[in-house]
Amino acid sequence: MLTVEPGHTKDAIKREIDAVLANVPSLRTEVGSPIGHQLSHVLSGTQAAIAINVFGDDLDTLRAIAKEVETALEDVPGARDILANREAVVESLPIRYRPEDLKRWGLRPADAAGQVEAAFNGVTVASVNEGVRRYEIIVRLHPDARKNLEDVRQFLLLGEEGAQVRLEEIADVGPENMPLGIQRENGRRKAVISLNVAEGFNIGDLVDRVEEAVTPIVQRHGYSVTYGGQFEAQQSASRAIYLMSALVAVVILVLLSSAFHSTRAAVLVMFNLPLALIGGILAIFLSESDNIFTNAAALFGIGAYHAPVISIASMVGFVT
């Protein structure tokens, strides 16, 4: 975490950080503020402004979708810090017992697994007390006898009537690549792709572009997708403000009707409300546009138009 000295803007600091991190190969980054990261983590489980949750059953398919979505988002204007949270793969050593071979040697799966666990993980045989400290004595194979895969396969188990059988004769022994962790939500496996909003873009427009790019990819594989992050809080606040705006308008209409003793006159006054919003819209266009001249030209079909951000504070101003 960096502490910014006074006199520098947030966007300028982000540009400097991006310039430094761009020189580090094979590095995926997310740049934001601590409060923003905490809010995003509470809302969607990730620290980014937008979180894409892809749900499905097959882990390999989820990983493939996450990679495809990550690649597609790189071409979406306004998307930055794109990160697909694919589960890391580690090498494991599963042991799968063959029922027919176990039966031939008079072993049950639980018996064979118990002997393997005791040999390689150890069995607690006693406890020793030294003052206030307590130590457990564990017995297991010597390290030289469990160094590699072949040692595991050649491990001798005791079958019926003391018969000895090697583990590889009754079971299939790995290795196998397995995910280090599996993310779930409501009991369903998921892959998460997160991203932030680039300078000069607003989160509402970016979410629409992201949905257009991502939804067809996920649906093509027959899986489902949901979108979360900071825009959820923004949408919730927007709905609350719109509702309060409507209530305020109704209250004003009632008060005007009471003052003028005429509903017609009150409605006539309320017709001026849209005209009062023009100044606020113009102020947002001038103050929040990334480039006023570029946006003004875009209104006449010249160049690309980047919609100014209407913040919650701006919406409160409109209500006022």
Side-chain angles (χ1 to χ4, degrees):
M1 184 173 68
L2 301 178
T3 302
V4 182
E5 296 181 355
H8 301 278
T9 65
K10 179 178 66 175
D11 292 333
I13 294 297
K14 282 186 177 181
R15 287 193 294 267
E16 292 292 333
I17 294 175
D18 289 338
V20 173
L21 296 179
N23 296 322
V24 182
S26 303
L27 183 66
R28 294 285 185 174
T29 62
E30 292 181 11
V31 182
S33 63
I35 295 178
H37 282 173
Q38 291 178 11
L39 175 62
S40 299
H41 197 275
V42 169
L43 293 172
S44 62
T46 68
Q47 295 183 343
I50 301 175
I52 305 168
N53 299 310
V54 181
F55 296 93
D57 297 323
D58 185 71
L59 290 176
D60 291 335
T61 304
L62 282 175
R63 290 175 59 85
I65 293 175
K67 181 61 178 177
E68 188 175 353
V69 168
E70 185 180 23
T71 302
L73 291 178
E74 293 176 353
D75 297 327
V76 175
R80 57 166 289 160
D81 302 336
I82 304 168
L83 179 63
N85 188 17
R86 300 182 294 272
E87 296 84 359
V89 176
V90 295
E91 189 177 56
S92 62
L93 192 65
I95 299 175
R96 296 183 174 89
Y97 297 99
R98 300 187 291 270
E100 293 299 325
D101 292 332
L102 286 172
K103 189 182 299 183
R104 185 180 305 115
W105 292 93
L107 283 168
R108 296 179 301 171
D111 297 333
Q115 293 185 50
V116 172
E117 183 178 8
F120 292 94
N121 290 340
V123 176
T124 301
V125 296
S127 298
V128 177
N129 295 324
E130 289 187 1
V132 296
R133 296 183 178 180
R134 178 173 178 152
Y135 302 93
E136 292 184 340
I137 299 177
I138 298 176
V139 177
R140 61 180 177 178
L141 286 177
H142 191 276
D144 292 340
R146 49 184 175 89
K147 291 188 301 183
N148 51 47
L149 174 61
E150 192 60 28
D151 290 337
V152 178
R153 289 174 172 169
Q154 297 299 318
F155 175 66
L156 290 174
L157 292 88
L158 291 178
E160 192 175 18
E161 297 180 356
Q164 293 185 340
V165 57
R166 298 189 186 279
L167 181 60
E168 65 178 358
E169 297 181 48
I170 60 170
D172 297 319
V173 184
E176 184 176 313
N177 290 328
M178 299 289 288
L180 181 60
I182 300 176
Q183 295 190 73
R184 294 181 183 270
E185 184 175 326
N186 296 326
R188 303 174 63 192
R189 292 176 176 177
K190 73 172 183 177
V192 181
I193 305 94
S194 60
L195 65 150
N196 287 320
V197 185
E199 181 183 352
F201 294 84
N202 67 69
I203 192 170
D205 287 345
L206 180 58
V207 170
D208 293 337
R209 297 192 192 100
V210 168
E211 289 183 0
E212 291 177 1
V214 173
T215 301
I217 296 175
V218 179
Q219 290 179 344
R220 188 172 68 246
H221 291 84
Y223 282 20
S224 59
V225 59
T226 62
Y227 301 89
Q230 291 181 14
F231 79 96
E232 287 181 298
Q234 183 189 55
Q235 290 177 340
S236 177
S238 298
R239 286 192 295 267
I241 289 177
Y242 289 142
L243 177 61
M244 296 305 296
S245 301
L247 292 176
V248 167
V250 171
V251 171
I252 291 175
L253 180 62
V254 172
L255 292 176
L256 289 174
S257 298
S258 176
F260 296 147
H261 302 288
S262 171
T263 303
R264 180 182 177 183
V267 172
L268 186 62
V269 173
M270 293 296 290
F271 271 123
N272 291 284
L273 183 59
L275 299 177
L277 300 178
I278 294 176
I281 294 174
L282 180 61
I284 290 178
F285 180 82
L286 295 175
S287 62
E288 297 294 341
S289 291
D290 185 40
N291 188 309
I292 299 175
F293 302 104
T294 302
N295 268 358
L299 294 176
F300 298 95
I302 304 174
Y305 180 78
H306 291 166
V309 178
I310 300 179
S311 64
I312 299 299
S314 301
M315 295 175 67
V316 172
F318 279 119
V319 175
T320 304

